[in-house]
Amino acid sequence: MFKGALFDLDGVIADTAPLHFNAWKQIIFKHFGLNLPDSIEEKTKGVSREDSLRVILKYLKISISDYDFMKLCEEKNLLYVESLEKLTPKNILPGIETFIQDLQRNGIKLALASSSKNGPYILKKLELDRSFQAIVNPENITEGKPAPDIFLEAAKSIQCEPEECIAIEDSVAGVTAINSANIFSIAVGGAELNHANKIFTSTKDLTLSEVENAWQIQKK
Ligand code: BG6
Ligand code: MG
């Protein structure tokens, strides 16, 4: 059996993923009068705030000064944080609370491996902060997802080897990061995540017994 479970946050624990892209859409419309197509949302998922803006500007073929870049990041975060104000435990995705309780009952340690600097704030609002033994600070990570660093750090933070952990993601970059860390990858989403060791279409299906089965099959 695995000893550690490493969680992404946005789109895995909470339904906050669309709030990020909505904030970017508003910012881009306000400053450039352009509509961001939904087709680039996936590329902004899992990656840092700064990398998300790089993806967006590259797509729009817009170049701005470092100062304006920083200002746009700040403004996007203000909008995003504003949209988190009403966040409550009701925003926890279906099945996740039970999954977390089952992991805890089995003595499995939990760590958060989110690229979001708002991770601790969100976990607190969801009343899940005390369920996690460790929260990796993405600001201390040199290379963000899809690099393996944040997941390696998360495993270390709960005194586990990567091979003793599972990690859960909803983004292409995140699944690539888990795989590169040599950790058993679990994805929640569609066919774009078929590089994961196991995919669930919804968090509703993410149960300890399903995950254990997938883990046993893989380790044989
Ligand atoms: C990730 C999201 O969890 O956090 C990304 O999937 C986002 O879309 C990233 O860019 C950084 O979040 P924040 O809250 O630090 O801007
Ligand atoms: Mg995510």
Side-chain angles (χ1 to χ4, degrees), residues 3 7 16 46 73 76 82 88 107 127 138 143 154 159 197 200 216:
K3 295 185 178 157
F7 281 79
T16 43
C73 283
K76 180 266 175 176
E82 224 177 83
T88 73
E127 295 173 17
E143 266 209 80
Q159 298 83 43
N197 295 117
F200 294 97
Q216 297 299 349

Side-chain angles (χ1 to χ4, degrees), residues 9 13 22 37-38 47 55 68 87 91 108 110 158 160 167 169 191:
L9 173 60
I13 295 178
N22 279 343
D38 292 341
V47 302
V55 164
D68 288 345
L87 213 65
N91 295 90
I108 295 157
L110 272 63
I158 49 167
C160 286
E169 262 291 347

Side-chain angles (χ1 to χ4, degrees), residues 91-115:
N91 295 90
I92 299 173
L93 284 163
I96 292 294
E97 275 177 296
T98 308
F99 182 54
I100 288 178
Q101 284 159 9
D102 288 345
L103 290 168
Q104 290 176 313
R105 263 198 282 274
N106 283 272
I108 295 157
K109 289 193 225 160
L110 272 63
L112 191 75
S114 167
S115 307

Side-chain angles (χ1 to χ4, degrees), residues 22 29 32 35 47 54 66 74 78 80 84 87 96 129-130 138 147 150 152-153 171 180 191 205 220:
N22 279 343
F29 189 76
F32 306 104
N35 288 308
V47 302
R54 278 183 201 107
D66 289 352
E74 270 176 25
L78 282 178
Y80 175 63
L84 296 177
L87 213 65
I96 292 294
D129 48 322
R130 277 182 289 163
I150 195 164
L152 292 173
E153 190 53 41
S171 72
S180 309
D205 312 319
K220 264 182 198 160

Side-chain angles (χ1 to χ4, degrees), residues 8-11 16-17 20-21 24 41 44-53 73 76-77 80-81 84 113-119 122 138 145 169-171:
D8 174 45
L9 173 60
D10 299 306
T16 43
H20 278 288
F21 197 61
W24 282 127
E41 181 175 3
T44 66
K45 271 194 193 167
V47 302
S48 69
R49 192 180 309 162
E50 294 74 18
D51 284 346
S52 296
L53 183 55
C73 283
K76 180 266 175 176
N77 192 52
Y80 175 63
V81 171
L84 296 177
S114 167
S115 307
S116 173
K117 299 177 187 104
N118 295 299
I122 295 178
K145 298 170 191 178
E169 262 291 347
D170 70 316
S171 72

